[in-house]
Amino acid sequence: MIVWINGAFGVGKTTTARLLTSALPDARLFDPEFLGSMLTAFVTSPTGDFQDLPLWRHLVVQTVTGLDRHHPGVWIVPMSLLDPAYRAEILGGIRAAGADVREVVLTLPEDRLRARIDADQVEACARGWRHDHVDRALATFASVTDARLIDASAPPEQVADAVRAEVCSRASGHGDGQPE
């Protein structure tokens, strides 16, 4: 199973993913940001965003489906997909390859999201990028109807518990707290 954690930059996807990886048996973390870093060592995106490189999107689909096929278990993937076409391309491509994808979107009101971005001391150099993308993220995720929206205003452990409960209830159909 692939658990895709989507949401605005700075909403808490990576923190939630790390907590969720510890909470689910056989769960491992895959961050597509690594593919972006690797790829941009060789090619430059004209926009400055590696997600605009078709090769990055292709590599994400191939890598996630390969991990699912060759290293079964639960893969936790924290990555903002703000462009609806890219989201459809990537998640659709993974599903078309036969992988079970459960997408959750972490949400926060704009004022809380901006405050969280400003308070982040670990990724302080990303503040400008994150702020520049808040409006687009809010617009994108306001129109999402095919993913579970989860309020990220609770403490990180509670957000991870909410994601785990959602994923596990959808996996088993009866909410026993474990994925299939």
Side-chain angles (χ1 to χ4, degrees):
M1 174 183 6
I2 311 302
V3 179
W4 196 284
I5 303 175
N6 208 339
F9 298 108
V11 76
K13 295 177 305 299
T14 301
T15 299
T16 300
R18 286 186 182 127
L19 291 166
L20 194 58
T21 301
S22 298
L24 292 174
D26 297 323
R28 289 172 279 182
L29 180 70
F30 170 69
D31 189 343
E33 184 99 15
F34 292 120
L35 293 176
S37 296
M38 184 232 14
L39 192 56
T40 56
F42 304 104
V43 296
T44 302
S45 171
T47 65
D49 184 349
F50 59 74
Q51 288 193 16
D52 292 327
L53 294 169
L55 182 55
W56 177 80
R57 298 188 304 275
H58 172 78
L59 288 172
V60 170
V61 171
Q62 294 303 308
T63 304
V64 170
T65 57
L67 289 169
D68 183 59
R69 184 175 304 116
H70 298 291
H71 304 279
V74 178
W75 286 97
I76 311 298
V77 183
M79 176 54 67
S80 297
L81 296 174
L82 303 187
D83 185 305
Y86 296 173
R87 179 176 169 263
E89 177 184 348
I90 291 170
L91 298 180
I94 295 168
R95 288 182 177 115
D100 178 14
V101 180
R102 315 288 171 95
E103 181 189 15
V104 296
V105 176
L106 303 184
T107 64
L108 279 175
E110 180 176 358
D111 61 331
R112 304 237 5 231
L113 176 59
R114 289 190 184 278
R116 184 173 288 180
I117 291 168
D118 288 337
D120 187 344
Q121 298 302 312
V122 176
E123 295 284 340
C125 61
R127 280 187 190 133
W129 172 269
R130 290 174 173 182
H131 277 296
D132 289 347
H133 290 81
V134 166
D135 291 338
R136 184 174 181 199
L138 294 174
T140 295
F141 299 123
S143 65
V144 166
T145 59
D146 58 346
R148 174 70 159 90
L149 303 181
I150 294 182
D151 181 6
S153 62
E157 295 78 12
Q158 291 177 16
V159 174
D161 285 345
V163 172
R164 183 191 55 74
E166 172 62 22
V167 168
C168 293
S169 69
R170 286 176 47 199
S172 67
H174 50 78
D176 65 0
Q178 299 301 321
E180 290 180 329

